[in-house]
Every structure is written in structure tokens, then in C-alpha cells.
Amino acid sequence: MQTDEKIVLPDNHKRSLSVTAHHLENSINDVEDLLTNKRQNTLTEKIIKNLNNIERQEILKLTKLVREKNERMFKELELNKNDLFEDRIVRSRIGHIWTLLCDSTPESLKGYGNLSEAQSKLISTYIDDLLQTVNEIQSIISRNT
């Protein structure tokens, strides 16, 4: 009688592969959203459609296959699902926005060349206004800690 022993991965490998599966899933979501027109132009991005419908369908068929294989790997290797708390996600994104804005003040942009006083004031007006609103979001998030 043959016994099939289940192969169990060490926790470190499970964690690493769980992250890989997560990134695969997110990337496949992005590709599918793009190819199915769920991702549209935004203020800062214009998507130039340069794939034909046949190419789109072929890629979508293969992304579906990647999704299924990723799911199979995730389940069979008993990988770990990531619990995401919305307040932590918001805190992280808002912190990132705050850092970007702080790095965009006229003082932080000195390495790009000199600005006139009027140019500096114009940039400061926009960045300070954005920072004020971001700080309001941060104060809301801070109430929940």
C-alpha cells in the first residue's frame, strides 16, 4: 500500500510565496482592468490603446490561466492570506502622499534650479493647500488609534 505524504513548506517559504501570489493577483487585476476598459484615462495618465482586439482576447485568456494557476498554487501550498485593515491602508497611502508633497515644496525642489519669488509662492500655495487637506485626513485617522 502506497501512502502519499503531504509536502509541507517551511513558514519562511510560505510567507515569500504568499507575497508572490498577492503581487501576481494584483498585476493580473491591473492587466485585465486595462484590457477590459475598466481602467480609464485620468488627470495624470492617458492610456494609448495600441493592441488590437485579437491580441487583447489572447492576453485575457492567458491572464485567466495565470490567475487559475496562481489560485491552485495558493491553495495547494496552503499559503497565507493577508488581512488588510482599511485604516492601515489609508494611513500608508496618506503618509506617502504627505511625503510626496513635502518633497515638492520650493525648498525641496532647489536641486532642479532656481525659482523666482513669484514661482516659489505659486508652488507653495498649491502644495500648502494640499498638505493642509492631507493633514485633515491624518487627524481623522489619528482619532482611530
Side-chain angles (χ1 to χ4, degrees), residues 114 140 143:
N114 294 326
I140 293 169
R143 283 189 240 155

Side-chain angles (χ1 to χ4, degrees), residues 54-126:
I54 293 170
E55 292 167 326
R56 276 193 194 89
Q57 292 310 309
E58 289 173 350
I59 294 168
L60 286 169
K61 190 183 308 181
L62 292 170
T63 58
K64 182 180 179 193
L65 186 58
V66 171
R67 183 182 299 283
E68 290 167 358
K69 289 179 178 186
N70 189 44
E71 186 176 328
R72 190 174 332 120
M73 176 183 73
F74 192 86
K75 289 178 180 176
E76 289 180 14
L77 299 181
E78 297 179 352
L79 300 179
N80 306 315
K81 185 175 274 197
N82 209 2
D83 291 330
L84 303 174
F85 295 89
E86 69 179 342
D87 67 324
R88 292 179 185 170
I89 296 168
V90 172
R91 188 176 286 115
S92 168
R93 299 304 191 274
I94 295 303
H96 179 70
I97 291 169
W98 186 85
T99 300
L100 287 171
L101 290 170
C102 287
D103 290 344
S104 298
T105 63
E107 297 78 27
S108 297
L109 296 174
K110 285 195 188 288
Y112 293 95
N114 294 326
L115 292 169
S116 69
E117 190 174 324
Q119 292 168 325
S120 182
K121 189 172 181 173
L122 180 63
I123 292 171
S124 288
T125 299
Y126 283 105

